[in-house]
Amino acid sequence: MDDCIFCQIIAGDIPSRTVYEDEHAFAFLDVNPLAPGHTLVIPKGHHETLNDLPADEGSAVFSALHDLVPRVEAAVDADGSTVAFNNGEAAGQEVPHVHAHIVPRFDGDGNGPIHALFDGPGEMADEELDRIADDIAATE
Ligand code: 5GP
Ligand code: ZN
């Protein structure tokens, strides 16, 4: 994808602080970090969301994450990390090339868990929960 920022970073046409590269995955520091060490992990193929990502490339991204999370945390002496995908525009995804954020976390940083993003739907009826679970389980 010629006009994709992240494809241009992979190609070396836009500079980045690259921290990892293998056959299918690539990682670099976020230019506008939420915390020191904020790292993005992406598949080399251009796919907009997780929903579009072939399984083998998804496995490569997860394998890179598994490798990188402890390395990122160690590099900035973090106490943990928030690892997340903004998956789709509705979730706040701005760059349409699937990417995982590794955001280092520090004891007392006050930023809260992912749960802090949501008010939640309120109490849900058992029938509704059953229907949703059945629908998820029944689709491939
Ligand atoms: P999103 O909101 O799509 O989940 O996150 C996109 C991320 O990409 C943002 O955190 C933003 O700072 C980062 N980003 C956008 N453009 C560039 C760039 O050209 N270089 C780097 N290193 N990061 C970028
Ligand atoms: Zn791309």
Side-chain angles (χ1 to χ4, degrees):
M1 278 282 283
D2 292 347
D3 58 352
C4 171
I5 295 169
F6 288 177
C7 283
Q8 291 175 61
I9 285 175
I10 293 165
D13 296 337
I14 293 177
S16 74
R17 290 189 171 84
T18 305
V19 299
Y20 179 90
E21 180 169 12
D22 65 27
E23 190 183 349
H24 294 298
F26 191 90
F28 52 101
L29 295 189
D30 195 296
V31 77
N32 187 19
L34 297 174
H38 183 171
T39 297
L40 301 174
V41 182
I42 64 177
K44 284 189 169 173
H46 180 85
H47 308 285
E48 188 162 336
T49 67
L50 281 173
N51 314 43
D52 310 314
L53 190 63
D56 58 340
E57 292 188 62
S59 297
V61 168
F62 191 86
S63 176
L65 277 170
H66 182 258
D67 191 45
L68 282 166
V69 164
R71 289 163 55 178
V72 169
E73 291 182 4
V76 295
D77 204 18
D79 301 302
S81 48
T82 295
V83 180
F85 294 78
N86 292 323
N87 195 48
E89 274 185 43
Q93 183 179 355
E94 293 188 351
V95 177
H97 182 132
V98 63
H99 50 280
H101 295 260
I102 305 173
V103 185
R105 299 296 304 269
F106 302 89
D107 288 340
D109 68 17
N111 290 310
I114 285 177
H115 295 67
L117 292 173
F118 299 91
D119 289 330
E123 187 152 352
M124 294 182 67
D126 283 344
E127 299 73 26
E128 177 74 345
L129 294 168
D130 289 344
R131 186 195 62 74
I132 293 169
D134 287 348
D135 279 359
I136 295 170
T139 52
E140 290 183 16

